[in-house]
Amino acid sequence: MLDESSLGSTKQVREFLHKIGPQNMVLLVGDIRQHQAVEAGKSFQQLQQSRMRTAQLDQIVRQKDSELLKVVEHLSKADVVTGIRMLQEQSRVTYRRPSTG
């Protein structure tokens, strides 16, 4: 299993895949919507675009607090404005303007 495979560069993923044998199986885990590799390439995303067999997680299980779960649902759909507003309303984050000393 290769976790956070979306962070691997093309060179790193290529080297990894060349080290496994033809009888071996590998599970690549990652999220193309999160950070990409520092070095060149988006190999995990490219493998998905090339019809690599994939499974997707569509249920959020980490957040047990129902109000925080609602926030995470908005953030997972890239609705950042609503998510941040909800965090502020729930007093989970605060914003203070910098002082103009």
Side-chain angles (χ1 to χ4, degrees), residues 14-33:
R14 180 181 169 275
E15 288 174 1
F16 172 76
L17 293 176
H18 276 98
K19 289 181 181 181
I20 62 173
Q23 74 284 0
N24 297 122
M25 299 175 87
V26 65
L27 174 65
L28 303 176
V29 179
D31 187 343
I32 60 173
R33 296 178 305 162

Side-chain angles (χ1 to χ4, degrees), residues 71 74-75 79-87 89:
V71 171
H74 283 281
L75 294 174
D79 185 3
V80 177
V81 172
T82 302
I84 298 297
R85 180 183 47 77
M86 291 173 73
L87 287 170
E89 290 170 356

